[in-house]
Amino acid sequence: MKKDLEYIQSIIDDIPQLQYLDKTELNVLVQYISYERINKGTVLFKEGTIGKTLYFIGVGKVEIKKESLSGNQAVLAQYGKGASIGEMSLLDEAPRSATATVVEDAELLMLNKNEFDEILDKYPWIGIKILKNIAKQISMRLRHTSGRFADVFDTR
């Protein structure tokens, strides 16, 4: 068990979204995070299903696709080492907005909603830092998406 926690800690050290936590806070977070190796081709979650997990990518790549109005799968993004996906699942009970598929063998750290809620109850200052980071990630992605929409709708 100790070795697993040390390995999780080593992966956390390479995830920029968690660099805002100090050593003590990271030691707490490690107790709530799980680790899994996932093979290429595995679907982490499907659009329309209820999500309860935030994923941090330690190794590998994950592709995000969304179904278009015509029923085709449009690739929205590909994320690699250090990225996080599924942040909204910690905030709401809404269905997943896209499908995530592992496109390169991956090592993932996972924080599910129940553990996150426990962190909020027991260590609210850590939960607040995580929530601020989630808001920052969503804001950056929204800004990027807004820019892409502007390009699509530019009629000049």
Side-chain angles (χ1 to χ4, degrees):
M1 180 69 157
K2 178 93 168 134
K3 185 176 181 184
D4 292 338
L5 293 178
E6 288 173 2
Y7 189 66
I8 289 171
Q9 179 68 50
S10 73
I11 294 174
I12 285 175
D13 290 343
D14 290 333
I15 297 177
Q17 294 90 339
L18 299 176
Q19 298 304 310
Y20 57 89
L21 296 173
D22 67 31
K23 186 79 169 163
T24 303
E25 294 165 338
L26 286 173
N27 288 335
V28 169
L29 183 62
V30 165
Q31 305 299 317
Y32 291 92
I33 284 185
S34 59
Y35 162 85
E36 195 168 341
R37 288 180 184 208
I38 309 287
N39 294 327
K40 177 181 176 177
T42 302
V43 175
L44 293 177
F45 53 82
K46 289 187 176 191
E47 182 176 352
T49 61
I50 300 298
K52 293 185 182 270
T53 306
L54 163 62
Y55 298 88
F56 295 101
I57 304 169
V59 172
K61 288 188 180 163
V62 177
E63 186 173 75
I64 307 299
K65 291 183 178 181
K66 180 152 184 69
E67 188 172 325
S68 69
L69 292 175
S70 63
N72 295 320
Q73 291 292 315
V75 175
L76 300 180
Q78 227 183 58
Y79 295 107
K81 180 179 181 174
S84 61
I85 58 171
E87 297 91 351
M88 292 186 292
S89 67
L90 296 187
L91 304 176
D92 61 28
E93 304 281 330
R96 296 279 192 181
S97 62
T99 297
T101 304
V102 176
V103 294
E104 185 180 288
D105 288 351
E107 294 183 22
L108 304 175
L109 298 180
M110 295 158 288
L111 178 62
N112 75 38
K113 185 161 177 32
N114 292 336
E115 274 79 22
F116 179 66
D117 288 344
E118 190 172 326
I119 290 170
L120 281 172
D121 288 340
K122 291 183 176 180
Y123 310 96
W125 67 95
I126 296 174
I128 289 169
K129 285 183 175 184
I130 292 170
L131 285 170
K132 283 175 70 175
N133 188 63
I134 287 171
K136 182 178 176 182
Q137 291 294 325
I138 291 171
S139 175
M140 288 178 4
R141 289 179 183 164
L142 182 58
R143 289 176 193 274
H144 175 76
T145 301
S146 295
R148 297 209 42 208
F149 274 135
D151 292 341
V152 169
F153 292 117
D154 186 7
T155 57
R156 293 183 189 165

